Amino acid sequence: MIGSIAALGAGLAVIGAGIGIGQVGGKAMEGISRQPEAASKIQTAMIIAAALIEGAALFGVVVSFLGLR
């Protein structure tokens, strides 16, 4: 039972990260289409935000697997 709860927590963390990265990417593309001259700044900010989202998702997966003990 505890293993399935940990798997559910890991799955939710990954789903949340996927939604977050999708939102960041979509809004970045929208911003680039509105202001093409700011593409490099927007892209840099998007990559940093995506890395932070992935880090938070990895943290959530690790915490859920640590809950197995």
Side-chain angles (χ1 to χ4, degrees):
M1 182 70 177
I2 293 175
S4 61
I5 294 172
L8 182 65
L12 288 174
V14 171
I15 288 172
I19 292 171
I21 290 175
Q23 289 287 324
V24 167
K27 295 298 180 181
M29 292 301 112
E30 185 178 317
I32 290 171
S33 69
R34 290 177 187 258
Q35 288 188 320
E37 65 275 1
S40 64
K41 289 182 180 180
I42 294 171
Q43 184 178 11
T44 302
M46 178 190 70
I47 290 171
I48 291 171
L52 291 173
I53 292 169
E54 283 293 325
L58 182 62
F59 181 74
V61 170
V62 168
V63 167
S64 69
F65 284 143
L66 287 177
L68 290 174
R69 292 184 176 193

